[in-house]
Amino acid sequence: MKKNLINPLKALAMIVVATGLVFTTGCGGDEEGEPEPTQTTLEIIASNDDYSEFKTFYELNSDLLPDISGTTAYTVFVPNNNAFQKLKTTLVVDDLTAIKAEVIASVLAFHFVSGTTTELTANSSLPTAQGESIVVGADGSIQTGGSDDMVEVLGSTRATNGIVYETETILIPPTIYASIVTHLGKVSQTLLLGGDFSILARAIVKADTYAAGTGGQVTPLSTYLSTDGIDVTIFAPTDATFKSAAGVTAADDAATVEAKVQGFLDLYTGQQFYGIIANHVVTELVVDADLVTGATLPTRFTADGQNFGSLTVFNNTSAIPAKNGIGVYLDANGDVDLDDQTTYTNFDAEVVLSPTVTGLTAANGSIYIIAGVLSPL
């Protein structure tokens, strides 16, 4: 019996609900009476409408993946469109490109094996272009499928430069699965794996490196944000906000953008980033009705979960019209006096979108998107 290790309602980033499939292999061209293959693996994928999702992702990441259009032989495991649709349903998303680019590229690379593997031999191991191996079990099923440890294969098609195996489950590299499984269905899922929050994720990694060096005195942010039974609300700046803070312009090429972003990340130590990011974490569940002028939202936490900061809310579009969002402004460091309009220029961020609009909710909280950085410094 196949087993699903996670609740489908809590799945994340490239984890697909497993289904039982029939394992078959074919060897066109080598069997007596069968014609020699006439298409490359890429042509086989391109000519099959049921592989269109995989084809799209391959084309978007082709510079990072093996070239399967020439004479070099590859075995390619191709999840069909149903596999991608199941993933979209599980993640409640319409566009899988919203997942962090490096995660997508690594998962895709895990589907490519050098050479032509015409039989999936029981108890064998196939090294992939991603660096980890696809492991075939004693029953012929694939054991390294992420949430599914018995991924079966629908069939195979020989190519002039390899072979294509069709699956109805997207294969997940073991280390990627191990690193994200604790975040599935939590607010940390969106922050650490969502493409729109990749810079925030890098800052969280830097902050967690600091926390790991405290001998357990400080809880890593990723641990806190993925803990069951703790309701949190994150006011999260997107990559666009961080790029603006880093001085990125529309004229900058990719290398310049990365240099500026890295320069911004280098401005603060891991400990400083810990304080900055923690100041975006409200230690209770916030809903739109809570965002009224004068409300204070408890933020930041110590190793034992105690709060020691707050955000002040201002919601009056008559006094300050909406600029980048919905006209709800936040003061993160106490330099705004709500009774003194001359201090209103000190608001640190405006709420752009709420979970009610974006659907950014999880088992342990929700995420508001903001324009601005809530630094307590």
Side-chain angles (χ1 to χ4, degrees):
M1 178 177 293
K2 304 183 67 173
K3 58 183 180 181
N4 186 26
L5 302 182
I6 55 177
N7 186 324
L9 297 178
K10 296 183 178 181
L12 170 60
M14 307 301 293
I15 304 298
V16 183
V17 178
T19 57
L21 310 174
V22 178
F23 173 78
T24 61
T25 60
C27 303
D30 284 350
E31 298 293 336
E32 184 177 352
E34 291 188 14
E36 289 292 329
T38 60
Q39 293 180 303
T40 65
T41 51
L42 182 59
E43 288 171 336
I44 290 171
I45 293 168
S47 64
N48 190 328
D49 290 341
D50 207 24
Y51 300 158
S52 60
E53 291 271 21
F54 185 86
K55 173 178 174 286
T56 296
F57 277 92
Y58 176 81
E59 290 175 342
L60 290 172
N61 297 273
S62 60
D63 57 330
L64 302 174
L65 298 171
D67 180 3
I68 53 175
S69 65
T71 58
T72 303
Y74 283 97
T75 297
V76 188
F77 292 85
V78 180
N80 61 26
N81 287 352
N82 186 54
F84 285 87
Q85 187 55 50
K86 286 189 295 183
L87 179 60
K88 293 176 184 178
T89 301
T90 299
L91 301 181
V92 196
V93 298
D94 296 321
D95 183 9
L96 294 176
T97 60
I99 296 171
K100 207 171 178 180
E102 50 264 45
V103 173
I104 292 176
S106 291
V107 170
L108 287 173
F110 190 62
H111 292 74
F112 294 82
V113 175
S114 181
T116 303
T117 306
T118 57
E119 293 186 8
L120 300 182
T121 307
N123 300 314
S124 62
S125 182
L126 307 174
T128 72
Q130 181 265 346
E132 297 178 72
S133 294
I134 291 174
V135 177
V136 181
D139 60 355
S141 64
I142 296 171
Q143 307 294 293
T144 44
S147 62
D148 180 9
D149 61 1
M150 294 175 63
V151 177
E152 297 178 81
V153 179
L154 283 173
S156 64
T157 305
R158 280 292 303 273
T160 58
N161 62 345
I163 188 168
V164 171
Y165 287 101
E166 179 181 345
T167 73
E168 246 188 347
T169 297
I170 295 175
L171 308 180
I172 312 295
T175 57
I176 290 181
Y177 180 74
S179 68
I180 67 176
V181 65
T182 57
H183 304 296
L184 299 178
K186 315 292 177 52
V187 292
S188 56
Q189 164 187 318
T190 300
L191 299 183
L192 297 178
L193 296 174
D196 287 339
F197 302 101
S198 64
I199 300 174
L200 178 58
R202 289 165 67 177
I204 290 175
V205 169
K206 188 169 183 176
D208 280 359
T209 300
Y210 150 73
T214 65
Q217 295 183 20
V218 177
T219 303
L221 290 167
S222 59
T223 299
Y224 186 87
L225 299 175
S226 62
T227 300
D228 286 318
I230 299 178
D231 287 331
V232 296
T233 302
I234 316 300
F235 288 90
T238 63
D239 284 355
T241 292
F242 278 111
K243 287 178 181 178
S244 178
V248 171
T249 68
D252 292 335
D253 59 20
T256 303
V257 171
E258 173 56 26
K260 288 183 176 181
V261 168
Q262 187 59 54
F264 176 81
L265 293 173
D266 290 341
L267 289 176
Y268 304 99
T269 66
Q271 183 174 4
Q272 288 173 321
F273 261 126
Y274 191 98
I276 291 171
I277 297 168
N279 209 44
H280 292 73
V281 180
V282 175
T283 55
E284 61 186 33
L285 190 62
V286 177
V287 297
D288 292 354
D290 297 325
L291 301 178
V292 296
T293 298
T296 56
L297 308 175
T299 68
R300 305 177 69 187
F301 42 85
T302 60
D304 59 3
Q306 294 180 344
N307 305 319
F308 57 94
S310 65
L311 304 175
T312 301
V313 178
F314 183 84
N315 186 353
N316 185 344
T317 53
S318 296
I320 308 180
K323 295 178 181 178
N324 299 300
I326 60 178
V328 175
Y329 294 86
L330 302 172
D331 173 31
N333 50 27
D335 59 358
V336 174
D337 182 350
L338 297 184
D339 295 323
D340 183 359
Q341 293 192 22
T342 65
T343 67
Y344 287 0
T345 56
N346 294 331
F347 281 112
D348 299 289
E350 181 182 4
V351 176
V352 176
L353 290 171
S354 73
T356 303
V357 175
T358 62
L360 293 177
T361 59
N364 65 335
S366 61
I367 299 172
Y368 281 83
I369 297 176
I370 61 172
V373 178
L374 303 175
S375 174
L377 304 177

